[in-house]
Amino acid sequence: MELMVFQITDLNSYKTKKRLMKGIYLFVLLQVFLLSCKGQNEKSIEKPNILFIAIDDLRPELGAYGSEVAITPNMDALAAEGLLFNNAYCQEAICSPSRASVMTGARPETIKVIENFSYFRDLNPDIVTLPQHLQTAGYETVYAGKIFHPGYTDEELSWSRKAYSGPKVEEMPERVRGYVLAENQEIFRENRAEVIAKYGENAPRNGLGKGPAYEFADAPDNSYEDGHNTELAIETMKEMAQNDKPFFLGLGFLKPHLEWIAPKKYWDMYEDVDLQLTDQHEGPVNGAAMGLHASFELRARADIPNYGDIKEEQAKNLKRAYLATVSYVDSQIGKMLKALEEEGLRDNTIIMLWSDHGWHLGDMGIWGKATNYEIATRVPLIVSTPNMPDAVRGSKTNALVELVDMYPTLCELAGVSIPESVEGQSFKPLLTNPNMEWKTAAFTQFPSPALREWAANPLSKGMRETSFGPLLEEVEDRIKKQQGDKWNRDLFENRLMGYSMRTSQYRFTVWKDYTDTKAKPIFFELYDHQSDPKETVNIANDNPNLVAQLLVQFNKGWMGNMAEFN
């Protein structure tokens, strides 16, 4: 270091220079102090990245959740490093309402989205979504795949950038409905054209004119959309890693939503697996006749019988196809997590993995989502955070949580305020104390599954006139027989809502007119999960006092069932 040398010519000059030296010395000390504080402060307020993994139609059929057949090593490994939620529930077991609720932090009726064809932004122009809110806190926000429901992706407000587009990821070739095999694309085209010619342009969105239920071509992972989207997410993450901003990266998987399509190697993984079918082939004894549909979503596929039972051999193939796509998704998640690790980002990234709802694989005699029962409403939820205590990693919590709680939880974890419009409760405390007392109930709803299309929208002309007609007549006769003089076509098709409350012991469902706040319930369902975890017998009629007690709790709503803690 060079010494500063001053020439003293007189006393005044000396005093002046001494004061100057002192000033420089103090200035240097101040700068060192400020830089030190700045460094410490930046380190202390560094915001975590968020990897938000959404999986479509995935029930808790994972090894980590106790499945004896599902091959899911990567999700199982994530659970071993984080906290697994045993009792997480969606707010409605259909794609758009569930996802709109997740992303706005508000419940389906609050945002007026109870079926797949309502856009939350049109109905709630000022509501602030999770990624939109994180942008105001300095986050880069981006998605690849399915986060919002397709067509309602809120491009302008929720996302600060697009996913990667460049030579490192090949463009997907033009395909029909994601099929790789030409013959399946042709089947889809022909069926689609037929229903459009007869019922108009909206017929396909109403569930008509589909292709085969599954396909497993001898093709690489990125031949199908989930593999391609994973590659986009990885390259997007690498780009964002070069910036100073924290990021929110949504990676949304289309599978295991129908159609079950993936590379053949995932189908082959289950070659020697003994796939047992459900032993619950009927709906609950004394259950709501309007509470179960006729498997419309599956029966719309070209290779599925329109009416009658699905034979055992085909049922096993369908379950195998579902599980194969689950394993395909699991493999892509493994690639994403490996890339996150290789970029050195894992230690400062919150990972939240969830599904929008569950799925009946023949359970209760039906195939599909779109009910208020446990099999359709309970979802996997796994959370890993950078600062999670070692004692918590790999553990499970039985606390009741809802998907609507993810928004406020991520806000708290990121050190961001929670908007007043949010109707969930942050479960951040559970991430350090998984066994603490928590919510007393979780809430789900679905409008009259038996007499609506699987997207929860009212029945179309095409649904009534095609092969679905006899199914609808059969279901309708069953409802009339059960409900007697309560039957009213307009009520049961357009205004009836099943509101389901899940407590630690019971599932309690109240059926009533959702358009009239003063309407009295027309039917109750009650299932005791201690003695009847598969919900096989509705015990409401035999337990009027318990029904009255639960109705009081139900009427308190979600606000009256939140966790109380200091």
Side-chain angles (χ1 to χ4, degrees):
M1 182 178 68
E2 292 185 359
L3 294 175
M4 299 182 65
V5 179
F6 293 93
Q7 184 180 7
I8 302 173
T9 56
D10 57 47
L11 186 60
N12 289 332
S13 176
Y14 170 75
K15 290 180 178 179
T16 299
K17 291 177 180 177
K18 186 176 181 181
R19 285 196 297 269
L20 179 61
M21 287 289 291
K22 184 177 181 181
I24 292 172
Y25 176 73
L26 291 174
F27 176 77
V28 171
L29 281 179
L30 178 62
Q31 293 305 305
V32 171
F33 174 77
L34 290 175
L35 285 170
S36 174
C37 289
K38 183 173 184 287
Q40 290 178 3
N41 191 46
E42 283 182 346
K43 185 176 181 180
S44 65
I45 65 172
E46 185 180 10
K47 293 190 180 299
N49 302 310
I50 300 169
L51 177 58
F52 197 60
I53 302 175
I55 308 174
D56 208 344
D57 286 18
L58 178 65
R59 68 195 214 169
E61 192 75 40
L62 307 173
Y65 276 90
S67 173
E68 296 180 354
V69 293
I71 302 170
T72 54
N74 295 294
M75 286 186 272
D76 297 346
L78 180 62
E81 297 173 6
L83 179 63
L84 181 149
F85 290 77
N86 267 327
N87 294 303
Y89 294 90
C90 68
Q91 274 46 78
E92 188 172 340
I94 200 70
C95 299
S96 189
S98 179
R99 289 165 183 267
S101 174
V102 165
M103 299 301 282
T104 61
R107 293 168 192 267
E109 280 191 9
T110 300
I111 55 176
K112 305 179 184 68
V113 179
I114 62 168
E115 43 90 6
N116 268 1
F117 305 119
S118 299
Y119 187 14
F120 76 89
R121 184 59 73 191
D122 290 343
L123 299 168
N124 309 269
D126 298 323
I127 201 162
V128 179
T129 68
L130 173 60
Q132 181 183 359
H133 186 54
L134 289 173
Q135 282 186 61
T136 66
Y139 274 78
E140 193 85 89
T141 62
V142 63
Y143 76 98
K146 183 178 178 180
I147 297 298
F148 286 107
H149 193 62
Y152 306 137
T153 52
D154 202 38
E155 297 291 334
E156 186 176 334
L157 297 178
S158 286
W159 311 107
S160 63
R161 59 160 289 170
K162 298 288 187 182
Y164 172 85
S165 177
K168 294 180 181 178
V169 180
E170 295 181 11
E171 290 189 15
M172 285 281 289
E174 288 290 331
R175 292 206 181 99
V176 177
R177 190 66 185 183
Y179 293 111
V180 168
L181 299 179
E183 57 266 34
N184 290 335
Q185 295 185 44
E186 187 58 29
I187 291 171
F188 183 88
R189 282 195 197 95
E190 290 178 358
N191 291 344
R192 181 184 176 91
E194 182 180 342
V195 297
I196 288 176
K198 190 170 184 179
Y199 300 111
E201 289 293 329
N202 280 339
R205 87 165 196 171
N206 290 334
L208 302 174
K210 300 296 184 183
Y214 57 88
E215 169 194 277
F216 293 92
D218 190 5
D221 285 8
N222 61 6
S223 296
Y224 291 97
E225 289 179 89
D226 283 337
H228 177 74
N229 289 332
T230 302
E231 291 184 354
L232 290 179
I234 289 171
E235 294 304 324
T236 304
M237 178 266 296
K238 289 179 179 179
E239 285 186 344
M240 293 189 295
Q242 305 306 312
N243 301 327
D244 294 331
K245 283 186 172 184
F247 62 76
F248 173 92
L249 173 57
L251 174 54
F253 292 99
L254 299 170
K255 302 305 153 197
H257 191 293
L258 282 167
E259 292 78 16
W260 297 316
I261 55 179
K264 182 176 178 293
K265 64 183 177 182
Y266 298 102
W267 171 266
D268 292 342
M269 289 169 66
Y270 291 89
E271 181 76 33
D272 299 318
V273 176
D274 183 18
L275 296 179
Q276 297 296 315
L277 299 175
T278 179
D279 59 1
Q280 189 180 4
H281 304 296
E282 302 290 339
V285 175
N286 301 322
M290 56 280 191
L292 288 170
H293 51 71
S295 306
F296 299 132
E297 183 176 10
L298 180 65
R299 291 187 188 277
R301 269 59 197 182
D303 50 352
I304 304 299
N306 300 127
Y307 192 82
D309 295 334
I310 293 172
K311 302 302 182 185
E312 181 178 352
E313 182 179 357
Q314 185 174 37
K316 285 191 174 184
N317 281 337
L318 293 173
K319 184 171 183 178
R320 180 177 177 179
Y322 179 91
L323 288 169
T325 54
V326 172
S327 293
Y328 170 52
V329 167
D330 181 79
S331 180
Q332 309 319 303
I333 290 171
K335 294 174 185 178
M336 184 73 237
L337 296 180
K338 181 181 179 183
L340 191 72
E341 189 81 49
E342 290 175 345
E343 285 298 309
L345 298 174
R346 184 71 181 267
D347 290 341
N348 190 42
T349 300
I350 298 163
I351 302 170
M352 190 169 280
L353 181 149
W354 57 282
S355 169
D356 52 358
H357 42 71
W359 225 82
H360 292 252
L361 288 169
D363 310 270
M364 298 187 175
I366 69 165
W367 296 76
K369 52 229 182 202
T371 77
N372 279 316
Y373 296 107
E374 186 84 357
I375 200 72
T377 60
R378 180 171 171 252
V379 299
L381 175 62
I382 300 170
V383 180
S384 174
T385 66
N387 299 319
M388 182 174 283
D390 289 342
V392 174
R393 294 191 186 278
S395 62
K396 301 179 180 182
T397 176
N398 292 320
L400 290 165
V401 297
E402 302 170 278
L403 290 185
V404 74
D405 299 334
M406 294 192 295
Y407 187 142
T409 302
L410 286 172
C411 286
E412 276 210 321
L413 290 172
V416 177
S417 63
I418 300 173
E420 291 185 4
S421 59
V422 168
E423 295 180 331
Q425 181 174 17
S426 169
F427 53 70
K428 181 185 174 184
L430 291 171
L431 301 178
T432 53
N433 186 4
N435 298 317
M436 68 185 297
E437 291 291 323
W438 202 243
K439 285 186 178 185
T440 51
F443 292 86
T444 303
Q445 62 185 91
F446 203 94
S448 201
L451 293 176
R452 287 209 173 205
E453 297 178 9
W454 72 81
N457 51 304
L459 292 167
S460 64
K461 180 181 178 183
M463 284 285 285
R464 295 179 188 278
E465 293 184 2
T466 60
S467 56
F468 290 120
L471 290 171
L472 290 167
E473 291 176 7
E474 183 180 285
V475 169
E476 188 175 301
D477 288 344
R478 200 160 60 236
I479 295 171
K480 288 177 179 178
K481 181 178 179 181
Q482 181 186 68
Q483 297 298 320
D485 58 7
K486 295 177 183 177
W487 166 257
N488 174 293
R489 181 173 300 280
D490 179 51
L491 171 63
F492 277 78
E493 288 191 3
N494 301 312
R495 296 182 284 116
L496 187 62
M497 183 73 72
Y499 297 95
S500 197
M501 179 179 75
R502 180 65 158 89
T503 72
S504 60
Q505 182 173 354
Y506 300 107
R507 174 169 298 282
F508 178 59
T509 302
V510 179
W511 292 91
K512 58 186 291 189
D513 184 345
Y514 79 91
T515 67
D516 182 359
T517 57
K518 296 181 181 179
K520 293 182 179 180
I522 67 166
F523 196 80
F524 296 110
E525 289 182 272
L526 176 59
Y527 303 96
D528 185 341
H529 271 255
Q530 285 188 359
S531 58
D532 184 21
K534 291 185 178 181
E535 299 175 342
T536 63
V537 180
N538 175 18
I539 61 172
N541 288 341
D542 297 328
N543 295 273
N545 293 335
L546 180 55
V547 166
Q549 177 185 330
L550 288 169
L551 189 59
V552 171
Q553 182 179 356
F554 172 86
N555 287 332
K556 292 179 180 179
W558 62 268
M559 292 188 71
N561 284 277
M562 293 175 71
E564 297 180 3
F565 59 95
N566 295 324

